[in-house]
Amino acid sequence: MKLMKTTDSVGQVLCHDVTQIIKGVTKGAAFRKGHIIREEDIPVLLSLGKDHIYVWESDESMLHENDAAEILRQICQGSGMTATEPKEGKIELIAEHDGVFVVNVEKLNAVNALGEMMIATRHGGFTVRKGDKLAGMRVIPLVIKKEKMEAARAAAGDQPLLDVVPFKKKKYGLVTTGNEVYYGRIEDTFTPTIEEKMREFGAEMGQHVILDDDHGKITAAINQMLADGMDMVLCTGGMSVDPDDKTPLAIRNTGAEIISYGAPVLPGAMFLLAYTDDGRPVMGLPGCVMYAKRTIFDLVLPNIMGDVPVTARRLAEYGEGGLCLNCEKCTFPNCSFGK
């Protein structure tokens, strides 16, 4: 691009959008990239503070901001999203359907660390709805070297950085544990809470049993539910270190692989996650899930419903942001919890 006085630019080709901002009214392009500047455009450009203007000069080693933004779109755009047209050098990605938003954070950081370009996303691992804005991307200068954009491709690798994974239709088994519930000493208020949370994802409860604190019975119930085709099994209660709490032992005895017993999240420290050999989750839910507005269960559930594996490393990463502030008015997920 070439810098020249606006008053001398008639007939030149504009190489970037020129933005007009009217406070409280609009922000948009008064002139688009590629516009051929006319005599009558000069006063308008001057009124926008453009005493000098960039016009296009051919240079095979450089890319215009819109073309570079298109490369960033290609790097980012995975399944379940659509892209906007470039506007003022920026492209945005929009969710096509409900699902869990998945971000390759390591690769995203690698691209952003290159400088002269940026990709900003919402947090991964959370539910998004059709029409939600997912990400925006652009390069910083008006033109950028082609080799810099090739470096961005190399840093991103072969797979898209972003995906919206649709929720699967799942049937779950629920094992309610505890002598106090089994013998009718207290009302079971845990089950309605689980049903409400699972309905948000269209999941159906296929089986439900209430058992006393007998780890053998709990193990047998979990295995039977899995044998009967449940897509996951949730166990409520019995997750502390008290001598009568046997749920962790019962889950371990099913043979499922324990990913983690414990998570750096409050509420939800005593959470247990395991996976069967064929990838079906078995979870032990601590008592806080019954009474707290949001817990570890709300953080992992979108991933579980999208069949996105929850690893021990991912659970460990919840430590930063894992403290729920128990706000009087809960705005989750539009808050710091889990981020």
Side-chain angles (χ1 to χ4, degrees):
M1 59 186 178
K2 178 173 67 175
L3 179 68
M4 65 187 311
K5 288 184 177 180
T6 300
T7 51
D8 297 333
S9 66
V10 174
Q12 299 293 324
V13 179
L14 195 62
C15 71
H16 60 95
D17 292 350
V18 175
T19 301
Q20 181 181 42
I21 301 174
I22 302 175
K23 184 178 179 181
V25 179
T26 185
K27 177 189 176 186
F31 299 98
R32 292 286 188 188
K33 167 199 171 187
H35 176 75
I36 299 174
I37 300 171
R38 303 164 298 176
E39 188 70 44
E40 58 265 36
D41 297 333
I42 301 302
V44 180
L45 288 166
L46 292 173
S47 74
L48 296 175
K50 304 299 180 184
D51 290 332
H52 295 80
I53 204 79
Y54 283 114
V55 295
W56 188 251
E57 277 189 319
S58 179
D59 184 342
E60 294 302 318
S61 70
M62 306 294 286
L63 284 173
H64 185 272
E65 60 176 354
N66 284 358
D67 301 316
E70 170 60 18
I71 291 175
L72 293 178
R73 180 207 60 80
Q74 294 169 8
I75 286 172
C76 289
Q77 187 174 359
S79 60
M81 61 190 73
T82 56
T84 64
E85 292 296 320
K87 182 179 180 182
E88 300 172 5
K90 179 179 68 177
I91 295 176
E92 294 180 339
L93 296 176
I94 310 297
E96 281 187 317
H97 53 69
D98 295 358
V100 58
F101 185 44
V102 178
V103 179
N104 187 326
V105 177
E106 182 179 349
K107 299 289 189 179
L108 175 67
N109 291 343
V111 174
N112 280 329
L114 293 172
E116 295 190 290
M117 65 190 73
M118 56 77 62
I119 304 166
T121 78
R122 63 169 58 207
H123 277 279
F126 288 85
T127 297
V128 294
R129 301 297 181 187
K130 181 178 179 180
D132 282 352
K133 186 185 297 185
L134 305 173
M137 60 216 65
R138 66 173 303 152
V139 296
I140 307 305
L142 287 172
V143 293
I144 191 169
K145 288 187 177 294
K146 289 182 179 179
E147 63 185 35
K148 193 67 177 281
M149 299 313 299
E150 289 307 310
R153 288 189 190 274
D158 297 331
Q159 298 300 315
L161 301 187
L162 312 176
D163 283 290
V164 177
V165 181
F167 299 128
K168 312 300 190 299
K169 292 293 184 182
K170 291 182 179 291
K171 186 175 290 187
Y172 64 95
L174 181 62
V175 180
T176 301
T177 70
N179 290 338
E180 66 277 22
V181 176
Y182 182 76
Y183 291 111
R185 298 167 186 161
I186 64 170
E187 180 185 357
D188 175 19
T189 56
F190 217 143
T191 297
T193 300
I194 298 302
E195 290 180 296
E196 180 181 354
K197 289 184 180 293
M198 299 302 285
R199 272 196 301 268
E200 293 180 17
F201 296 90
E204 176 188 352
M205 184 162 69
Q207 295 183 17
H208 180 212
V209 296
I210 300 176
L211 299 175
D212 60 6
D213 292 312
D214 183 320
H215 68 84
K217 292 179 183 178
I218 299 170
T219 298
I222 296 170
N223 285 333
Q224 186 61 56
M225 289 178 176
L226 293 170
D228 291 341
M230 297 298 104
D231 297 306
M232 70 178 83
V233 177
L234 310 176
C235 301
T236 65
M239 291 302 302
S240 77
V241 294
D242 293 343
D244 290 329
D245 287 346
K246 304 295 180 61
T247 304
L249 173 62
I251 294 175
R252 189 179 303 276
N253 287 344
T254 66
E257 180 187 359
I258 304 296
I259 301 302
S260 181
Y261 176 27
V265 176
L266 291 173
M270 305 305 289
F271 172 74
L272 187 151
L273 174 64
Y275 282 100
T276 62
D277 291 341
D278 58 3
R280 287 180 289 173
V282 179
M283 285 177 275
L285 305 181
C288 61
V289 176
M290 175 174 54
Y291 63 82
K293 292 177 183 177
R294 297 294 178 178
T295 69
I296 180 65
F297 189 45
D298 298 286
L299 300 182
V300 303
L301 189 54
N303 298 277
I304 296 294
M305 294 305 299
D307 284 339
V308 176
V310 179
T311 63
R313 176 179 175 179
R314 182 68 188 99
L315 288 171
E317 289 171 345
Y318 281 129
E320 182 183 11
L323 178 64
C324 177
L325 300 180
N326 297 310
C327 303
E328 184 175 345
K329 182 179 179 181
C330 180
T331 59
F332 179 85
N334 299 317
C335 66
S336 63
F337 186 47
K339 301 166 185 172

